[in-house]
Amino acid sequence: MKKLLYSFLLCAFAFSFINQTSAQTMPKDADQRLWQKALKIHKRAIIIDGHNDIPSPMYDDDFDLATDSRGLFHKDGDPFHTDLQRLKQSGITGEFFSIYVSANFVKNGGSARHAMDLIDVTYRATEKYPNQLMPCTTTADIRRAKRQGKICALMGIEGGHAIEDSLNALRDFYRLGIRYMTLTHNNTNNWADAHRDTPKNNGLSDFGKEVVREMNRLGMLIDISHVSEKTMSDVLDVSTAPIIASHSSARGVANHTRNVPDNILKRIAQNGGVVMINFYPAFLDERTNTEENERSKKLKPQLDALREQYKNDQQAYNTAERKLFAENPIYMPSYTRIVDHIDHIKQVAGIDYVGIGSDYDGVPFLPVGMNGAEDLPLVTYEMLRRGYSETDVRKVLGENFLRAFAQAEKVARIESRKISGEGILKKIK
Ligand SMILES: [Zn+2]
């Protein structure tokens, strides 16, 4: 999910009373011993989160990562999930800052420029907070950040239209530090079909296949979140490196086109890739998705009227919308549903091919029990409660991603040697 508009209600005085130490939510009826064990394992682990949309408000609304974001809202009324303190409490070692380029840029131009703006804002945060953040582009960087107690700012482009159909731009984005690219957002582009748009390329076009091969050569991971099932399949046919789904869940648990179907999960196991579970309740649970769609339909006349009434006051609209939604609640799964998806992928593909891709600050709400990044230890607790070993927990939290990324780095070394070798041969001839 994505928002077109961001920012937050600047009622700073109202939130200054929030207790700075009230951090993680402990599970209801928690087994104290197990909770402490979960926190210890969580602290030791390298944790990689596949997707966080915080760069958009950082760019659009000057959101400063050091701001205490608890109780603050984006411009469209959705709550913030991330800030420096909450990231620290989350235990995340490597966060993928999403360089999200809306489909609107295709119509109006400026896709690559917008990606560069978000890359800049991410680098500037690492420059402003060098004791907490470091820019990272390799598996070695991630391990170094862990040793130094810092958070790696990794970057992934969301929406392949950002390269504006240019392999040169793709290479430049790699040089700027981009380490994965989601081939599409919800919009089909000139070379790859999306999950929620008219197919134009029967999956990947010939140029799309070239993009994948060039990403392999560079060492940029191919991300299949948001693409159509045919595109997923084409990517698996072409890619010589492991692929990822940076923020998608399992279709076998919740039948949504944003999730990865079982047949693809099995192929990802052969490919060595990772599916990183999205925490958005409508992707975690079909019932939430259905009820959310029904509610939108049912409340449309009222929402339209409110939009008209508050057309010059976004904040008042957001308050009214929140009130209306509160009066018309929908089913919300618990955070434990995240682990249902992990269980499923473990069963279908194996424990080595699943990770986490929260989609913090890109979704309007999180499962019950989870308020934001600080509550990530709940997932560790729930895995332990279900009998997962520490090794398996650590695989899910980050080791699986590290393995896939290291393999992509290795493939890049081999592929680029081959190509430079060819070049030399041609020159000699
Ligand atoms: Zn997304």
Side-chain angles (χ1 to χ4, degrees):
M1 283 283 290
K2 269 296 152 29
K3 280 136 277 192
L4 298 175
L5 298 166
Y6 288 93
S7 104
F8 46 97
L9 298 176
L10 280 168
C11 300
F13 67 94
F15 301 109
S16 59
F17 300 107
I18 289 171
N19 181 357
Q20 295 284 334
T21 55
S22 67
Q24 285 113 341
T25 320
M26 217 165 55
K28 251 190 238 156
D29 314 318
D31 173 338
Q32 275 304 326
R33 195 191 50 83
L34 202 61
W35 176 243
Q36 290 310 322
K37 187 179 171 190
L39 291 180
K40 259 190 213 154
I41 290 176
H42 203 81
K43 206 171 176 180
R44 280 198 290 267
I46 288 188
I47 303 174
I48 311 289
D49 178 23
H51 198 88
N52 186 316
D53 275 303
I54 200 70
S56 290
M58 284 161 65
Y59 176 73
D60 293 341
D61 304 299
D62 268 337
F63 173 71
D64 189 310
L65 263 187
T67 312
D68 180 356
S69 73
R70 282 170 297 176
L72 297 185
F73 297 92
H74 293 243
K75 192 183 270 171
D76 65 0
D78 297 338
F80 270 88
H81 304 136
T82 308
D83 62 40
L84 275 183
Q85 182 66 10
R86 297 171 95 178
L87 278 178
K88 194 172 164 54
Q89 288 160 349
S90 76
I92 290 171
T93 320
E95 180 65 284
F96 269 98
F97 284 67
S98 174
I99 307 303
Y100 161 63
V101 181
S102 152
N104 292 335
F105 288 96
V106 179
K107 273 180 261 155
N108 307 326
S111 295
R113 152 77 195 270
H114 188 68
M116 290 174 78
D117 287 340
L118 294 190
I119 291 169
D120 172 68
V121 96
T122 304
Y123 272 110
R124 277 193 288 135
T126 65
E127 287 154 11
K128 191 169 181 187
Y129 302 109
N131 296 326
Q132 290 99 322
L133 289 175
M134 66 182 256
C136 289
T137 55
T138 63
T139 48
D141 285 345
I142 297 170
R143 294 189 191 282
R144 187 161 47 246
K146 180 71 186 172
R147 284 196 299 275
Q148 294 181 5
K150 291 183 187 174
I151 297 160
C152 262
L154 295 142
M155 290 181 292
I157 283 181
E158 180 169 39
H161 52 275
I163 64 167
E164 300 189 11
D165 306 332
S166 158
L167 292 180
N168 309 51
L170 174 70
R171 284 186 285 269
D172 280 333
F173 281 128
Y174 177 84
R175 292 178 188 113
L176 286 172
I178 297 294
R179 287 300 177 268
Y180 79 65
M181 182 166 76
T182 321
L183 298 188
T184 71
H185 187 240
N186 293 331
N187 56 304
T188 286
N189 57 39
N190 293 334
W191 45 270
D193 292 341
H195 79 109
R196 209 174 69 181
D197 200 355
T198 319
K200 279 196 269 189
N201 306 290
N202 186 27
L204 279 180
S205 71
D206 287 345
F207 179 73
K209 289 173 187 167
E210 240 180 280
V211 170
V212 167
R213 279 190 286 267
E214 189 60 1
M215 289 171 78
N216 284 163
R217 194 186 69 80
L218 292 166
M220 193 191 285
L221 290 159
I222 294 124
D223 178 15
I224 58 158
S225 288
H226 287 281
V227 307
S228 73
E229 197 176 331
K230 178 63 166 59
T231 306
M232 293 180 188
S233 174
D234 285 359
V235 166
L236 283 160
D237 287 342
V238 177
S239 181
T240 53
I243 66 164
I244 60 166
S246 71
H247 59 308
S248 290
S249 306
R251 213 176 284 188
V253 181
N255 188 13
H256 194 295
T257 53
R258 274 287 282 102
N259 292 341
V260 181
D262 284 359
N263 64 315
I264 299 290
L265 285 179
K266 286 181 188 141
R267 291 189 64 192
I268 288 180
Q270 290 161 357
N271 155 275
V274 194
V275 174
M276 306 170 92
I277 305 293
N278 191 311
F279 297 175
Y280 182 41
F283 299 160
L284 292 175
D285 206 296
E286 275 167 59
R287 190 176 154 196
T288 308
N289 188 41
T290 309
E291 291 188 15
E292 196 189 15
N293 290 336
E294 282 168 358
R295 180 172 71 178
S296 303
K297 231 182 272 168
K298 191 181 98 183
L299 299 181
K300 189 173 182 301
Q302 280 154 280
L303 288 168
D304 286 347
L306 288 173
R307 229 169 262 128
E308 183 56 30
Q309 186 182 349
Y310 298 118
K311 60 184 169 201
N312 298 318
D313 190 346
Q314 180 72 32
Q315 203 167 307
Y317 171 80
N318 292 342
T319 309
E321 185 196 66
R322 256 199 302 281
K323 188 167 166 278
L324 190 61
F325 284 166
E327 288 160 2
N328 294 272
I330 56 171
Y331 171 76
M332 282 289 163
S334 143
Y335 68 88
T336 60
R337 191 76 174 143
I338 295 167
V339 186
D340 292 349
H341 286 258
I342 296 172
D343 276 348
H344 182 80
I345 297 181
K346 181 182 166 185
Q347 225 169 26
V348 173
I351 190 68
D352 294 326
Y353 310 103
V354 56
I356 50 167
S358 66
D359 216 352
Y360 289 138
D361 286 288
V363 296
F365 41 85
L366 291 169
V368 175
M370 192 175 261
N371 296 307
E374 68 277 16
D375 291 324
L376 192 57
L378 288 173
V379 178
T380 299
Y381 174 82
E382 182 60 15
M383 284 192 277
L384 288 177
R385 207 188 59 80
R386 295 189 191 193
Y388 282 52
S389 66
E390 175 172 352
T391 309
D392 285 355
V393 167
R394 289 175 68 154
K395 281 182 178 180
V396 176
L397 291 176
E399 295 298 333
N400 288 339
F401 175 83
L402 278 177
R403 180 209 65 234
F405 191 19
Q407 180 60 23
E409 289 173 336
K410 196 172 154 192
V411 168
R413 284 197 294 273
I414 296 166
E415 297 286 330
S416 41
R417 238 198 328 261
K418 262 197 243 164
I419 287 178
S420 60
E422 273 171 24
I424 290 164
L425 216 67
K426 271 181 199 156
K427 266 185 200 163
I428 292 169
K429 277 179 184 171

